[in-house]
Amino acid sequence: MSDPDQNRVTPEVSFGQFQQLISQMYLEKDLARGVDGTFMWFMEEVGELASALRSGTHEERLGEFADVIAWLTTMANVVGVDLAEAVSLKYGSGCPGCNQFQCTCADAEKP
Amino acid sequence: MSDPDQNRVTPEVSFGQFQQLISQMYLEKDLARGVDGTFMWFMEEVGELASALRSGTHEERLGEFADVIAWLTTMANVVGVDLAEAVSLKYGSGCPGCNQFQCTCADAEKP
C-alpha cells in the first residue's frame, strides 16, 4: 500500500507544550465561555470522533482525535488542571489497578 | 492557602511517551475488546469527568482528566492513530479556523 505520508516525521509534542499552545490560542474565550459551555463543545467533538471511528478515513480520525484532545485541554485550562501532572500522577507508576507496567488486572475488571 | 504539593515538579510527558506507555500496559486487552467496547469505557470516564467538573476536588479532577486521556489514547492505539501527529497536523500551525496563534475567529464561530 502506498502512503504519500510515510516519510512524515512525527514531532515530539509534550502535554505541557500543547496545553500552553491551546491556552495561548483560546484561553480568553475559554474563560468567558466557562466550563459548562466548553463541555458542550467537547461533547460535540466526541460525537464527531465516534462518527469517524465508525466510518471515517485515517485522516478524518486524526482530525477528530486532535479536536477531542484540544477541547479536553481547554476544559483543563478553564479549571486549572495540569494535564502532564494528571497523567503522571495516575499512570506514571503503572496501571492504577495492579501497579504493573503491563496490566495484569482480570479482564472483567476495569480497565 | 497552603498546598502541600506546591513544590511538586510536573514532569515533561510527551504524547508519544504516554501513548507508548498505555500501549505497553493495555494494548493486548484493548485489541481484544475492540473500538466499540473501548468507546463505552471512554464514555464512562467522560461521565466521571463531568461529575468531577461539577462538584469534585482538584485532586479528583486530576484523576478524571487522566482517565479520559488514557481511554482516548487507548482508542487511538486500537485504530492506529498517532496522537502527536494528530495534534501537530491540526493545531501545529495555529488555530484551524483563523490560522493565528491567538485565535481571532468570531465568538459565534467554532471554537
Side-chain angles (χ1 to χ4, degrees):
Chain A
M1 196 169 70
S2 171
D3 176 1
D5 297 326
Q6 64 182 320
N7 294 320
R8 189 164 57 197
V9 175
T10 301
E12 278 284 307
V13 188
S14 74
F15 284 98
Q17 287 170 326
F18 188 68
Q19 189 157 7
Q20 178 57 38
L21 177 68
I22 293 294
S23 174
Q24 178 188 334
M25 285 199 282
Y26 301 121
L27 187 61
E28 197 177 334
K29 290 182 177 186
D30 293 340
L31 290 176
R33 188 193 311 106
V35 70
D36 294 18
T38 301
F39 194 85
M40 282 195 66
W41 280 111
F42 168 71
M43 289 308 298
E44 184 167 322
E45 293 300 338
V46 169
E48 292 180 13
L49 175 61
S51 177
L53 288 171
R54 196 176 49 78
S55 61
T57 65
H58 183 70
E59 293 298 318
E60 287 166 344
R61 290 172 175 182
L62 281 169
E64 297 307 335
F65 271 102
D67 286 342
V68 169
I69 292 173
W71 281 101
L72 190 68
T73 303
T74 280
M75 286 198 295
N77 284 337
V78 171
V79 299
V81 159
D82 182 313
L83 293 178
E85 180 186 7
V87 299
S88 297
L89 282 172
K90 189 77 182 258
Y91 293 95
S93 305
C95 172
C98 62
N99 298 315
Q100 302 298 310
F101 278 101
Q102 183 165 6
C103 173
T104 59
C105 296
D107 282 348
E109 288 174 36
K110 185 179 176 182
Chain B
M1 194 170 72
S2 170
D3 176 1
D5 296 326
Q6 64 182 321
N7 294 319
R8 189 164 58 197
V9 176
T10 302
E12 278 283 307
V13 187
S14 74
F15 283 99
Q17 288 170 328
F18 188 67
Q19 188 157 8
Q20 178 58 39
L21 176 68
I22 293 293
S23 174
Q24 179 188 331
M25 285 199 281
Y26 301 121
L27 186 61
E28 197 176 333
K29 289 182 177 186
D30 293 340
L31 290 176
R33 186 192 312 107
V35 71
D36 295 18
T38 301
F39 194 85
M40 282 196 66
W41 280 111
F42 168 71
M43 289 309 297
E44 184 167 321
E45 293 300 337
V46 169
E48 292 180 13
L49 175 61
S51 177
L53 288 171
R54 198 175 49 76
S55 62
T57 65
H58 183 70
E59 292 299 316
E60 287 166 344
R61 289 172 175 180
L62 282 169
E64 298 307 335
F65 270 102
D67 286 342
V68 169
I69 292 173
W71 281 100
L72 190 68
T73 303
T74 280
M75 285 199 294
N77 284 337
V78 171
V79 297
V81 160
D82 182 313
L83 293 177
E85 180 185 8
V87 300
S88 298
L89 281 172
K90 189 78 183 257
Y91 292 94
S93 304
C95 172
C98 62
N99 297 316
Q100 302 298 310
F101 278 101
Q102 184 164 7
C103 173
T104 59
C105 295
D107 283 349
E109 289 174 36
K110 185 178 175 183

